Amino acid sequence: MQRNEQVIAEVFGLYERFGDSDYIGEPVSQIEHMSQAAELAMAEGYDDEVILAAFFHDIGHICGESAENMGGFGVVSHERLGADYLRRAGFSERMARLVEYHVQAKRYLTLKEPGYYERLSEASRRTLEYQGGVMTAEEAEAFEQDPLCEVSLRMRQWDELAKEMHVPVIDLAVLKDKAVRLLAA
């Protein structure tokens, strides 16, 4: 159990240290964005892995200190850095893949959903270039076959919605409890 408590302290410590920083060109901080994404997942009744994936989806921006920057809009490959960080911490492959897939979902939606690109924030449009751009039809077909495709697309919607100003941050103890239970499972 001590290892799990250490992991929780380390992972949530990142948010305590860096959570108040600007969320790369958006009107909210990192912690406000993560909190809102998790609360949207909770409100829709998703399981704890999905809720925590929504909370952790951009952890790659704050755990990859020496990583390459996307022109002032966060860290290159933050989705992979974050997923790998969570794997090393002992979280499930499903959670790590959901974190990794939130960028794939953006690439997919820019191909498949008319008007999606225009609805993206300026920061999201700028980062799309660094993230591989719009998916090809072949990539989209492969993504649709993945069992995590649907929830990844939902998570992407939460990512887009989680940019509201003046929304109170979730009680992190709630998320820490979920993380402890998942690590213990």
Side-chain angles (χ1 to χ4, degrees):
M1 192 56 145
Q2 189 165 353
R3 159 119 169 79
N4 293 349
E5 289 168 10
Q6 191 176 356
V7 165
I8 300 303
E10 179 187 317
V11 172
F12 283 89
L14 288 171
Y15 291 96
E16 289 159 13
R17 290 201 333 261
F18 304 113
D20 287 335
S21 40
D22 175 50
Y23 178 59
I24 53 167
E26 303 290 358
V28 292
S29 68
Q30 287 277 355
I31 192 69
E32 288 169 324
H33 178 63
M34 301 299 108
S35 171
Q36 289 176 37
E39 288 188 291
L40 289 163
M42 287 173 73
E44 291 185 27
Y46 278 88
D47 63 71
D48 288 350
E49 279 183 322
V50 174
I51 292 164
L52 286 170
F55 182 74
F56 291 141
H57 78 270
D58 276 341
I59 198 168
H61 286 304
I62 58 177
C63 74
E65 295 153 12
S66 63
E68 184 185 348
N69 194 288
M70 292 187 285
F73 290 98
V75 172
V76 172
S77 298
H78 76 282
E79 71 281 8
R80 248 187 320 280
L81 291 170
D84 289 344
Y85 175 81
L86 293 170
R87 284 180 185 108
R88 285 192 305 274
F91 288 102
S92 72
E93 182 61 21
R94 179 176 178 245
M95 186 192 306
R97 285 177 55 211
L98 286 169
V99 166
E100 196 161 0
Y101 285 1
H102 83 279
V103 166
Q104 297 307 314
K106 176 168 86 171
R107 295 182 61 229
Y108 175 87
L109 289 168
T110 54
L111 172 72
K112 293 286 191 168
E113 192 176 297
Y116 181 78
Y117 180 82
E118 288 72 27
R119 291 192 309 273
L120 288 173
S121 68
E122 180 60 27
S124 274
R125 284 187 214 158
R126 298 274 298 276
T127 57
L128 182 63
E129 300 164 32
Y130 290 94
Q131 296 165 335
V134 178
M135 255 188 192
T136 65
E138 296 78 28
E139 288 173 319
E141 196 173 304
F143 188 57
E144 289 166 350
Q145 303 308 309
D146 193 294
L148 295 177
C149 178
E150 284 305 312
V151 71
S152 297
L153 295 175
R154 193 70 207 119
M155 212 165 100
R156 185 68 214 178
Q157 299 302 319
W158 301 328
D159 187 2
E160 298 302 330
L161 294 169
K163 297 173 183 177
E164 296 295 317
M165 293 170 51
H166 313 298
V167 175
V169 172
I170 192 171
D171 178 0
L172 291 184
V174 170
L175 298 176
K176 287 178 182 179
D177 288 344
K178 291 179 182 306
V180 166
R181 283 195 303 274
L182 288 176
L183 287 171

